[in-house]
PDB file of all heavy atoms in Angstrom:
ATOM      1  N   GLN A   1      61.374  87.219  54.407  1.00  0.00           N
ATOM      2  CA  GLN A   1      61.785  86.869  55.768  1.00  0.00           C
ATOM      3  C   GLN A   1      63.191  87.373  56.096  1.00  0.00           C
ATOM      4  O   GLN A   1      63.807  86.953  57.073  1.00  0.00           O
ATOM      5  CB  GLN A   1      61.685  85.354  55.964  1.00  0.00           C
ATOM      6  CG  GLN A   1      60.251  84.875  55.845  1.00  0.00           C
ATOM      7  CD  GLN A   1      60.079  83.438  56.261  1.00  0.00           C
ATOM      8  OE1 GLN A   1      60.779  82.941  57.137  1.00  0.00           O
ATOM      9  NE2 GLN A   1      59.128  82.763  55.643  1.00  0.00           N
ATOM     10  N   GLU A   2      63.708  88.248  55.242  1.00  0.00           N
ATOM     11  CA  GLU A   2      65.007  88.914  55.434  1.00  0.00           C
ATOM     12  C   GLU A   2      66.188  87.955  55.525  1.00  0.00           C
ATOM     13  O   GLU A   2      67.061  88.078  56.378  1.00  0.00           O
ATOM     14  CB  GLU A   2      64.953  89.830  56.650  1.00  0.00           C
ATOM     15  CG  GLU A   2      63.936  90.944  56.484  1.00  0.00           C
ATOM     16  CD  GLU A   2      63.933  91.916  57.639  1.00  0.00           C
ATOM     17  OE1 GLU A   2      64.758  91.787  58.565  1.00  0.00           O
ATOM     18  OE2 GLU A   2      63.081  92.824  57.612  1.00  0.00           O
ATOM     19  N   VAL A   3      66.196  86.999  54.611  1.00  0.00           N
ATOM     20  CA  VAL A   3      67.338  86.112  54.445  1.00  0.00           C
ATOM     21  C   VAL A   3      67.513  85.889  52.941  1.00  0.00           C
ATOM     22  O   VAL A   3      66.541  85.936  52.195  1.00  0.00           O
ATOM     23  CB  VAL A   3      67.151  84.772  55.209  1.00  0.00           C
ATOM     24  CG1 VAL A   3      66.043  83.944  54.627  1.00  0.00           C
ATOM     25  CG2 VAL A   3      68.442  83.995  55.274  1.00  0.00           C
ATOM     26  N   ALA A   4      68.751  85.699  52.507  1.00  0.00           N
ATOM     27  CA  ALA A   4      68.989  85.569  51.066  1.00  0.00           C
ATOM     28  C   ALA A   4      69.995  84.451  50.782  1.00  0.00           C
ATOM     29  O   ALA A   4      70.734  84.010  51.655  1.00  0.00           O
ATOM     30  CB  ALA A   4      69.506  86.881  50.503  1.00  0.00           C
ATOM     31  N   PHE A   5      69.997  84.016  49.550  1.00  0.00           N
ATOM     32  CA  PHE A   5      70.949  83.039  49.043  1.00  0.00           C
ATOM     33  C   PHE A   5      71.065  83.287  47.548  1.00  0.00           C
ATOM     34  O   PHE A   5      70.328  84.089  46.980  1.00  0.00           O
ATOM     35  CB  PHE A   5      70.491  81.601  49.335  1.00  0.00           C
ATOM     36  CG  PHE A   5      69.179  81.237  48.711  1.00  0.00           C
ATOM     37  CD1 PHE A   5      69.104  80.835  47.385  1.00  0.00           C
ATOM     38  CD2 PHE A   5      68.008  81.310  49.447  1.00  0.00           C
ATOM     39  CE1 PHE A   5      67.886  80.511  46.805  1.00  0.00           C
ATOM     40  CE2 PHE A   5      66.792  80.976  48.885  1.00  0.00           C
ATOM     41  CZ  PHE A   5      66.735  80.587  47.559  1.00  0.00           C
ATOM     42  N   VAL A   6      71.974  82.596  46.915  1.00  0.00           N
ATOM     43  CA  VAL A   6      72.117  82.682  45.463  1.00  0.00           C
ATOM     44  C   VAL A   6      71.491  81.426  44.866  1.00  0.00           C
ATOM     45  O   VAL A   6      71.880  80.318  45.234  1.00  0.00           O
ATOM     46  CB  VAL A   6      73.600  82.787  45.044  1.00  0.00           C
ATOM     47  CG1 VAL A   6      73.732  82.832  43.535  1.00  0.00           C
ATOM     48  CG2 VAL A   6      74.260  83.994  45.684  1.00  0.00           C
ATOM     49  N   PRO A   7      70.489  81.577  43.974  1.00  0.00           N
ATOM     50  CA  PRO A   7      69.938  80.394  43.316  1.00  0.00           C
ATOM     51  C   PRO A   7      71.059  79.614  42.628  1.00  0.00           C
ATOM     52  O   PRO A   7      71.931  80.189  41.971  1.00  0.00           O
ATOM     53  CB  PRO A   7      68.945  80.967  42.303  1.00  0.00           C
ATOM     54  CG  PRO A   7      68.522  82.267  42.921  1.00  0.00           C
ATOM     55  CD  PRO A   7      69.780  82.796  43.573  1.00  0.00           C
ATOM     56  N   GLY A   8      71.059  78.310  42.804  1.00  0.00           N
ATOM     57  CA  GLY A   8      72.163  77.484  42.344  1.00  0.00           C
ATOM     58  C   GLY A   8      72.209  77.192  40.864  1.00  0.00           C
ATOM     59  O   GLY A   8      73.225  76.728  40.362  1.00  0.00           O
ATOM     60  N   ASP A   9      71.129  77.482  40.130  1.00  0.00           N
ATOM     61  CA  ASP A   9      71.117  77.122  38.712  1.00  0.00           C
ATOM     62  C   ASP A   9      72.245  77.780  37.929  1.00  0.00           C
ATOM     63  O   ASP A   9      72.741  77.208  36.966  1.00  0.00           O
ATOM     64  CB  ASP A   9      69.758  77.420  38.085  1.00  0.00           C
ATOM     65  CG  ASP A   9      69.316  78.859  38.239  1.00  0.00           C
ATOM     66  OD1 ASP A   9      69.772  79.539  39.174  1.00  0.00           O
ATOM     67  OD2 ASP A   9      68.478  79.297  37.426  1.00  0.00           O
ATOM     68  N   ALA A  10      72.689  78.946  38.365  1.00  0.00           N
ATOM     69  CA  ALA A  10      73.774  79.643  37.662  1.00  0.00           C
ATOM     70  C   ALA A  10      75.108  78.908  37.777  1.00  0.00           C
ATOM     71  O   ALA A  10      76.034  79.168  37.005  1.00  0.00           O
ATOM     72  CB  ALA A  10      73.930  81.057  38.206  1.00  0.00           C
ATOM     73  N   PHE A  11      75.225  77.980  38.699  1.00  0.00           N
ATOM     74  CA  PHE A  11      76.476  77.277  38.931  1.00  0.00           C
ATOM     75  C   PHE A  11      76.544  75.927  38.224  1.00  0.00           C
ATOM     76  O   PHE A  11      77.492  75.168  38.404  1.00  0.00           O
ATOM     77  CB  PHE A  11      76.697  77.107  40.438  1.00  0.00           C
ATOM     78  CG  PHE A  11      76.796  78.430  41.136  1.00  0.00           C
ATOM     79  CD1 PHE A  11      75.680  78.994  41.739  1.00  0.00           C
ATOM     80  CD2 PHE A  11      77.987  79.141  41.154  1.00  0.00           C
ATOM     81  CE1 PHE A  11      75.752  80.226  42.364  1.00  0.00           C
ATOM     82  CE2 PHE A  11      78.073  80.371  41.770  1.00  0.00           C
ATOM     83  CZ  PHE A  11      76.954  80.912  42.383  1.00  0.00           C
ATOM     84  N   PHE A  12      75.548  75.626  37.419  1.00  0.00           N
ATOM     85  CA  PHE A  12      75.534  74.396  36.633  1.00  0.00           C
ATOM     86  C   PHE A  12      75.677  74.777  35.161  1.00  0.00           C
ATOM     87  O   PHE A  12      74.744  75.335  34.575  1.00  0.00           O
ATOM     88  CB  PHE A  12      74.222  73.616  36.865  1.00  0.00           C
ATOM     89  CG  PHE A  12      74.123  73.017  38.233  1.00  0.00           C
ATOM     90  CD1 PHE A  12      73.632  73.761  39.297  1.00  0.00           C
ATOM     91  CD2 PHE A  12      74.539  71.710  38.459  1.00  0.00           C
ATOM     92  CE1 PHE A  12      73.554  73.212  40.566  1.00  0.00           C
ATOM     93  CE2 PHE A  12      74.457  71.158  39.728  1.00  0.00           C
ATOM     94  CZ  PHE A  12      73.969  71.908  40.781  1.00  0.00           C
ATOM     95  N   PRO A  13      76.816  74.527  34.555  1.00  0.00           N
ATOM     96  CA  PRO A  13      77.061  74.997  33.192  1.00  0.00           C
ATOM     97  C   PRO A  13      76.072  74.474  32.154  1.00  0.00           C
ATOM     98  O   PRO A  13      75.817  75.132  31.157  1.00  0.00           O
ATOM     99  CB  PRO A  13      78.484  74.518  32.873  1.00  0.00           C
ATOM    100  CG  PRO A  13      78.783  73.460  33.868  1.00  0.00           C
ATOM    101  CD  PRO A  13      77.928  73.746  35.077  1.00  0.00           C
ATOM    102  N   ASN A  14      75.490  73.318  32.391  1.00  0.00           N
ATOM    103  CA  ASN A  14      74.534  72.773  31.438  1.00  0.00           C
ATOM    104  C   ASN A  14      73.089  73.073  31.831  1.00  0.00           C
ATOM    105  O   ASN A  14      72.159  72.599  31.185  1.00  0.00           O
ATOM    106  CB  ASN A  14      74.727  71.256  31.293  1.00  0.00           C
ATOM    107  CG  ASN A  14      76.080  70.931  30.700  1.00  0.00           C
ATOM    108  OD1 ASN A  14      76.590  71.671  29.875  1.00  0.00           O
ATOM    109  ND2 ASN A  14      76.671  69.843  31.141  1.00  0.00           N
ATOM    110  N   GLY A  15      72.895  73.821  32.921  1.00  0.00           N
ATOM    111  CA  GLY A  15      71.550  74.197  33.363  1.00  0.00           C
ATOM    112  C   GLY A  15      70.740  73.006  33.819  1.00  0.00           C
ATOM    113  O   GLY A  15      71.266  71.936  34.105  1.00  0.00           O
ATOM    114  N   GLY A  16      69.446  73.234  33.915  1.00  0.00           N
ATOM    115  CA  GLY A  16      68.526  72.166  34.238  1.00  0.00           C
ATOM    116  C   GLY A  16      68.371  71.837  35.715  1.00  0.00           C
ATOM    117  O   GLY A  16      67.609  70.961  36.069  1.00  0.00           O
ATOM    118  N   VAL A  17      69.089  72.531  36.591  1.00  0.00           N
ATOM    119  CA  VAL A  17      68.980  72.271  38.023  1.00  0.00           C
ATOM    120  C   VAL A  17      68.337  73.497  38.671  1.00  0.00           C
ATOM    121  O   VAL A  17      68.971  74.523  38.828  1.00  0.00           O
ATOM    122  CB  VAL A  17      70.355  71.976  38.661  1.00  0.00           C
ATOM    123  CG1 VAL A  17      70.218  71.720  40.146  1.00  0.00           C
ATOM    124  CG2 VAL A  17      71.024  70.817  37.970  1.00  0.00           C
ATOM    125  N   GLU A  18      67.069  73.363  39.007  1.00  0.00           N
ATOM    126  CA  GLU A  18      66.336  74.505  39.551  1.00  0.00           C
ATOM    127  C   GLU A  18      66.115  74.403  41.050  1.00  0.00           C
ATOM    128  O   GLU A  18      65.564  75.312  41.660  1.00  0.00           O
ATOM    129  CB  GLU A  18      64.987  74.637  38.845  1.00  0.00           C
ATOM    130  CG  GLU A  18      65.122  74.942  37.374  1.00  0.00           C
ATOM    131  CD  GLU A  18      63.790  75.085  36.686  1.00  0.00           C
ATOM    132  OE1 GLU A  18      62.783  74.546  37.189  1.00  0.00           O
ATOM    133  OE2 GLU A  18      63.756  75.751  35.651  1.00  0.00           O
ATOM    134  N   ASN A  19      66.542  73.321  41.678  1.00  0.00           N
ATOM    135  CA  ASN A  19      66.284  73.131  43.100  1.00  0.00           C
ATOM    136  C   ASN A  19      67.562  73.157  43.941  1.00  0.00           C
ATOM    137  O   ASN A  19      67.667  72.492  44.955  1.00  0.00           O
ATOM    138  CB  ASN A  19      65.529  71.816  43.324  1.00  0.00           C
ATOM    139  CG  ASN A  19      66.357  70.607  42.947  1.00  0.00           C
ATOM    140  OD1 ASN A  19      67.175  70.667  42.047  1.00  0.00           O
ATOM    141  ND2 ASN A  19      66.134  69.502  43.629  1.00  0.00           N
ATOM    142  N   ALA A  20      68.531  73.960  43.528  1.00  0.00           N
ATOM    143  CA  ALA A  20      69.790  74.083  44.261  1.00  0.00           C
ATOM    144  C   ALA A  20      69.993  75.534  44.688  1.00  0.00           C
ATOM    145  O   ALA A  20      69.455  76.459  44.076  1.00  0.00           O
ATOM    146  CB  ALA A  20      70.953  73.635  43.381  1.00  0.00           C
ATOM    147  N   LEU A  21      70.775  75.705  45.745  1.00  0.00           N
ATOM    148  CA  LEU A  21      71.084  77.059  46.194  1.00  0.00           C
ATOM    149  C   LEU A  21      72.479  77.094  46.782  1.00  0.00           C
ATOM    150  O   LEU A  21      73.049  76.061  47.110  1.00  0.00           O
ATOM    151  CB  LEU A  21      70.044  77.547  47.207  1.00  0.00           C
ATOM    152  CG  LEU A  21      69.757  76.673  48.424  1.00  0.00           C
ATOM    153  CD1 LEU A  21      70.703  76.978  49.562  1.00  0.00           C
ATOM    154  CD2 LEU A  21      68.331  76.923  48.862  1.00  0.00           C
ATOM    155  N   ARG A  22      73.037  78.305  46.891  1.00  0.00           N
ATOM    156  CA  ARG A  22      74.362  78.480  47.479  1.00  0.00           C
ATOM    157  C   ARG A  22      74.230  79.422  48.650  1.00  0.00           C
ATOM    158  O   ARG A  22      73.599  80.464  48.553  1.00  0.00           O
ATOM    159  CB  ARG A  22      75.333  79.037  46.449  1.00  0.00           C
ATOM    160  CG  ARG A  22      75.477  78.055  45.325  1.00  0.00           C
ATOM    161  CD  ARG A  22      76.690  78.057  44.534  1.00  0.00           C
ATOM    162  NE  ARG A  22      77.916  78.489  45.101  1.00  0.00           N
ATOM    163  CZ  ARG A  22      79.078  77.971  44.771  1.00  0.00           C
ATOM    164  NH1 ARG A  22      79.116  76.960  43.942  1.00  0.00           N
ATOM    165  NH2 ARG A  22      80.182  78.440  45.255  1.00  0.00           N
ATOM    166  N   LEU A  23      74.836  79.041  49.757  1.00  0.00           N
ATOM    167  CA  LEU A  23      74.782  79.834  50.979  1.00  0.00           C
ATOM    168  C   LEU A  23      76.145  80.444  51.268  1.00  0.00           C
ATOM    169  O   LEU A  23      77.170  79.797  51.073  1.00  0.00           O
ATOM    170  CB  LEU A  23      74.375  78.951  52.162  1.00  0.00           C
ATOM    171  CG  LEU A  23      73.036  78.233  52.056  1.00  0.00           C
ATOM    172  CD1 LEU A  23      72.864  77.288  53.231  1.00  0.00           C
ATOM    173  CD2 LEU A  23      71.905  79.239  52.005  1.00  0.00           C
ATOM    174  N   ASN A  24      76.145  81.666  51.776  1.00  0.00           N
ATOM    175  CA  ASN A  24      77.379  82.313  52.199  1.00  0.00           C
ATOM    176  C   ASN A  24      77.520  82.118  53.702  1.00  0.00           C
ATOM    177  O   ASN A  24      76.650  82.513  54.469  1.00  0.00           O
ATOM    178  CB  ASN A  24      77.324  83.803  51.870  1.00  0.00           C
ATOM    179  CG  ASN A  24      78.512  84.549  52.432  1.00  0.00           C
ATOM    180  OD1 ASN A  24      79.485  83.962  52.870  1.00  0.00           O
ATOM    181  ND2 ASN A  24      78.419  85.863  52.436  1.00  0.00           N
ATOM    182  N   TYR A  25      78.596  81.509  54.105  1.00  0.00           N
ATOM    183  CA  TYR A  25      78.844  81.347  55.533  1.00  0.00           C
ATOM    184  C   TYR A  25      80.276  81.711  55.893  1.00  0.00           C
ATOM    185  O   TYR A  25      80.663  81.649  57.048  1.00  0.00           O
ATOM    186  CB  TYR A  25      78.534  79.907  55.984  1.00  0.00           C
ATOM    187  CG  TYR A  25      79.278  78.861  55.202  1.00  0.00           C
ATOM    188  CD1 TYR A  25      80.557  78.478  55.571  1.00  0.00           C
ATOM    189  CD2 TYR A  25      78.709  78.276  54.082  1.00  0.00           C
ATOM    190  CE1 TYR A  25      81.253  77.527  54.841  1.00  0.00           C
ATOM    191  CE2 TYR A  25      79.386  77.319  53.360  1.00  0.00           C
ATOM    192  CZ  TYR A  25      80.659  76.946  53.742  1.00  0.00           C
ATOM    193  OH  TYR A  25      81.330  76.018  53.016  1.00  0.00           O
ATOM    194  N   SER A  26      81.059  82.144  54.922  1.00  0.00           N
ATOM    195  CA  SER A  26      82.480  82.391  55.175  1.00  0.00           C
ATOM    196  C   SER A  26      82.761  83.716  55.883  1.00  0.00           C
ATOM    197  O   SER A  26      83.791  83.850  56.528  1.00  0.00           O
ATOM    198  CB  SER A  26      83.263  82.339  53.859  1.00  0.00           C
ATOM    199  OG  SER A  26      82.822  83.362  52.995  1.00  0.00           O
ATOM    200  N   ASN A  27      81.851  84.671  55.776  1.00  0.00           N
ATOM    201  CA  ASN A  27      82.140  85.957  56.422  1.00  0.00           C
ATOM    202  C   ASN A  27      81.002  86.430  57.322  1.00  0.00           C
ATOM    203  O   ASN A  27      80.856  87.614  57.571  1.00  0.00           O
ATOM    204  CB  ASN A  27      82.483  87.022  55.379  1.00  0.00           C
ATOM    205  CG  ASN A  27      81.293  87.396  54.517  1.00  0.00           C
ATOM    206  OD1 ASN A  27      80.243  86.781  54.586  1.00  0.00           O
ATOM    207  ND2 ASN A  27      81.453  88.420  53.710  1.00  0.00           N
ATOM    208  N   MET A  28      80.225  85.493  57.810  1.00  0.00           N
ATOM    209  CA  MET A  28      79.120  85.833  58.700  1.00  0.00           C
ATOM    210  C   MET A  28      79.429  85.335  60.111  1.00  0.00           C
ATOM    211  O   MET A  28      79.943  84.231  60.275  1.00  0.00           O
ATOM    212  CB  MET A  28      77.817  85.165  58.238  1.00  0.00           C
ATOM    213  CG  MET A  28      77.203  85.773  57.025  1.00  0.00           C
ATOM    214  SD  MET A  28      76.457  87.331  57.494  1.00  0.00           S
ATOM    215  CE  MET A  28      76.709  88.233  55.993  1.00  0.00           C
ATOM    216  N   PRO A  29      79.076  86.124  61.111  1.00  0.00           N
ATOM    217  CA  PRO A  29      79.219  85.632  62.485  1.00  0.00           C
ATOM    218  C   PRO A  29      78.292  84.432  62.711  1.00  0.00           C
ATOM    219  O   PRO A  29      77.226  84.331  62.093  1.00  0.00           O
ATOM    220  CB  PRO A  29      78.771  86.813  63.351  1.00  0.00           C
ATOM    221  CG  PRO A  29      78.774  88.001  62.459  1.00  0.00           C
ATOM    222  CD  PRO A  29      78.615  87.497  61.062  1.00  0.00           C
ATOM    223  N   GLU A  30      78.689  83.552  63.589  1.00  0.00           N
ATOM    224  CA  GLU A  30      77.950  82.314  63.816  1.00  0.00           C
ATOM    225  C   GLU A  30      76.487  82.568  64.182  1.00  0.00           C
ATOM    226  O   GLU A  30      75.589  81.861  63.717  1.00  0.00           O
ATOM    227  CB  GLU A  30      78.644  81.505  64.915  1.00  0.00           C
ATOM    228  CG  GLU A  30      78.190  80.086  64.984  1.00  0.00           C
ATOM    229  CD  GLU A  30      79.037  79.266  65.927  1.00  0.00           C
ATOM    230  OE1 GLU A  30      80.279  79.408  65.906  1.00  0.00           O
ATOM    231  OE2 GLU A  30      78.451  78.487  66.686  1.00  0.00           O
ATOM    232  N   GLU A  31      76.213  83.557  64.991  1.00  0.00           N
ATOM    233  CA  GLU A  31      74.828  83.830  65.394  1.00  0.00           C
ATOM    234  C   GLU A  31      73.979  84.253  64.193  1.00  0.00           C
ATOM    235  O   GLU A  31      72.819  83.861  64.077  1.00  0.00           O
ATOM    236  CB  GLU A  31      74.762  84.889  66.494  1.00  0.00           C
ATOM    237  CG  GLU A  31      73.359  85.159  66.995  1.00  0.00           C
ATOM    238  CD  GLU A  31      72.603  83.902  67.447  1.00  0.00           C
ATOM    239  OE1 GLU A  31      73.219  82.949  67.965  1.00  0.00           O
ATOM    240  OE2 GLU A  31      71.368  83.869  67.270  1.00  0.00           O
ATOM    241  N   ARG A  32      74.529  85.035  63.291  1.00  0.00           N
ATOM    242  CA  ARG A  32      73.777  85.437  62.088  1.00  0.00           C
ATOM    243  C   ARG A  32      73.508  84.235  61.197  1.00  0.00           C
ATOM    244  O   ARG A  32      72.466  84.160  60.542  1.00  0.00           O
ATOM    245  CB  ARG A  32      74.518  86.523  61.322  1.00  0.00           C
ATOM    246  CG  ARG A  32      74.434  87.853  62.066  1.00  0.00           C
ATOM    247  CD  ARG A  32      74.791  89.021  61.235  1.00  0.00           C
ATOM    248  NE  ARG A  32      73.808  89.216  60.176  1.00  0.00           N
ATOM    249  CZ  ARG A  32      73.981  90.038  59.156  1.00  0.00           C
ATOM    250  NH1 ARG A  32      75.078  90.758  59.061  1.00  0.00           N
ATOM    251  NH2 ARG A  32      73.075  90.164  58.234  1.00  0.00           N
ATOM    252  N   ILE A  33      74.435  83.299  61.163  1.00  0.00           N
ATOM    253  CA  ILE A  33      74.214  82.075  60.390  1.00  0.00           C
ATOM    254  C   ILE A  33      73.045  81.296  60.984  1.00  0.00           C
ATOM    255  O   ILE A  33      72.158  80.840  60.259  1.00  0.00           O
ATOM    256  CB  ILE A  33      75.491  81.210  60.345  1.00  0.00           C
ATOM    257  CG1 ILE A  33      76.577  81.928  59.530  1.00  0.00           C
ATOM    258  CG2 ILE A  33      75.197  79.823  59.768  1.00  0.00           C
ATOM    259  CD1 ILE A  33      77.950  81.272  59.604  1.00  0.00           C
ATOM    260  N   ARG A  34      73.015  81.175  62.304  1.00  0.00           N
ATOM    261  CA  ARG A  34      71.909  80.459  62.961  1.00  0.00           C
ATOM    262  C   ARG A  34      70.563  81.110  62.643  1.00  0.00           C
ATOM    263  O   ARG A  34      69.591  80.425  62.317  1.00  0.00           O
ATOM    264  CB  ARG A  34      72.119  80.445  64.475  1.00  0.00           C
ATOM    265  CG  ARG A  34      73.117  79.445  64.946  1.00  0.00           C
ATOM    266  CD  ARG A  34      73.056  79.307  66.473  1.00  0.00           C
ATOM    267  NE  ARG A  34      74.111  78.451  66.921  1.00  0.00           N
ATOM    268  CZ  ARG A  34      75.267  78.876  67.423  1.00  0.00           C
ATOM    269  NH1 ARG A  34      75.497  80.162  67.577  1.00  0.00           N
ATOM    270  NH2 ARG A  34      76.182  78.016  67.787  1.00  0.00           N
TER     271      ARG A  34
END
């Protein structure tokens, strides 16, 4: 659907979290975020 995120499991040092994600919103125009 032409949208992406970073799977969040890489941000948990002990692992085990497969249902998290990280979104980039710091350098996107507001309309693209919507």
Side-chain angles (χ1 to χ4, degrees):
Q1 296 190 32
E2 298 184 3
V3 67
F5 61 82
V6 178
D9 56 336
F11 299 96
F12 290 86
N14 296 326
V17 180
E18 296 181 337
N19 65 328
L21 53 87
R22 298 205 28 146
L23 301 174
N24 173 12
Y25 55 86
S26 63
N27 68 352
M28 286 286 147
E30 195 171 317
E31 183 53 33
R32 287 196 66 192
I33 293 171
R34 282 191 186 99

